[in-house]
Amino acid sequence: MVMRTHADEVNQLPIVPWIEFRDQSGWNDALHLGRKVTWNARFVVQRPEDAVASIFLLRSGTIKVAAASETGLQRTLWLSGPGSTLGEAAMFGHHPYMHHITVIEPCVAYEFSRRVVLEELLPRHPAVSVALISNLAAKCYVMSTQVEEITFLSVPQRLARFFYGLYLARGSERLPLSHADIGDLLGLHRVTVSRTISAMKRAGLLESDTHEIVVTDITALATFVTETTPQDMRP
């Protein structure tokens, strides 16, 4: 039998709707080309149909990217943390912004104009080009994975994969999300999320309160991700 190591787990990290890159060193030589900005919580960075004049590198904090309907309804697509970028898809695709982008936690970011991106960053800073491609790839994988999981996985398995992937991606057992936040990210009703989390707590996988999830047994959670959902774990 082949024993799985922690490295194996990281290499098979589930894709979760939280985009964050711990290593931002590729940007260090290019920061002087940007303009440092700060955003407070609840600040609206962009709205659908806003024109695209620049991209942003998030150095710290968290933003929410949500799709918005004409009637004002919103569905969160993903959260973006340090090392993520904003606006590159719209700039390269020659489209206005399609999403509603709001600050969740206070942010420090760097803004790079279209001219700087096209004339300085891409031709002269290959590490930045790699970072931008990595960000685009992460967003594509998040969207395609959500479709696959809705189609093929049960609710408990979706939640387990989400908690497991987020634990590894952030390097912390404390996940600062409410049940409503999780439901919004995964397209699930809050009551369904709460019932499933209660079952996971009874199984010793998690602890939770109103605003936070704590992973208590990552090994058991990793095992659960790959197994068929037991009857007593169904919401």
Side-chain angles (χ1 to χ4, degrees), residues 11 15 33 74 77 110 113 132 137 159 183 207-208 210 214 229:
N11 289 336
I15 296 167
L33 298 170
Q74 290 191 21
L77 301 177
Y110 279 80
S113 69
L132 290 172
L159 283 171
E207 292 179 359
S208 72
T210 306
V214 179
T229 306

Side-chain angles (χ1 to χ4, degrees), residues 83-135:
S84 63
T85 54
L86 165 64
E88 74 283 358
M91 179 178 287
F92 297 150
H94 303 286
H95 290 292
Y97 281 101
M98 299 176 61
H99 303 132
H100 197 94
I101 301 168
T102 310
V103 177
I104 302 300
E105 298 173 332
C107 295
V108 174
Y110 279 80
E111 180 180 18
F112 300 90
S113 69
R114 181 189 296 271
R115 183 197 66 79
V116 167
V117 172
L118 298 180
E119 297 180 12
E120 299 285 343
L121 296 184
L122 295 182
R124 297 183 172 89
H125 295 271
V128 171
S129 296
V130 171
L132 290 172
I133 292 170
S134 297
N135 270 272

Side-chain angles (χ1 to χ4, degrees), residues 87-230:
E88 74 283 358
M91 179 178 287
F92 297 150
H94 303 286
H95 290 292
Y97 281 101
M98 299 176 61
H99 303 132
H100 197 94
I101 301 168
T102 310
V103 177
I104 302 300
E105 298 173 332
C107 295
V108 174
Y110 279 80
E111 180 180 18
F112 300 90
S113 69
R114 181 189 296 271
R115 183 197 66 79
V116 167
V117 172
L118 298 180
E119 297 180 12
E120 299 285 343
L121 296 184
L122 295 182
R124 297 183 172 89
H125 295 271
V128 171
S129 296
V130 171
L132 290 172
I133 292 170
S134 297
N135 270 272
L136 283 169
K139 294 169 186 178
C140 289
Y141 278 122
V142 165
M143 298 308 297
S144 62
T145 298
Q146 287 188 0
V147 172
E148 293 172 6
E149 291 188 351
I150 288 171
T151 304
F152 300 119
L153 298 183
S154 67
V155 170
Q157 286 173 320
R158 290 177 63 195
L159 283 171
R161 283 175 60 88
F162 175 69
F163 296 141
Y164 176 63
L166 199 53
Y167 174 101
L168 294 180
R170 303 189 76 240
S172 173
E173 73 278 3
R174 310 190 80 88
L175 311 178
L177 294 169
S178 68
H179 295 187
D181 293 332
I182 296 164
D184 194 25
L185 279 167
L186 300 183
L188 297 169
H189 195 284
R190 184 192 60 78
V191 173
T192 301
V193 171
S194 295
R195 289 175 177 171
T196 307
I197 288 175
S198 293
M200 290 181 169
K201 288 171 65 176
R202 291 194 299 270
L205 304 178
L206 305 173
E207 292 179 359
S208 72
D209 57 27
T210 306
H211 302 292
E212 186 177 63
I213 301 294
V214 179
V215 177
T216 55
D217 191 337
I218 188 61
T219 302
L221 191 61
T223 301
F224 180 76
V225 166
T226 60
E227 292 182 347
T228 303
T229 306

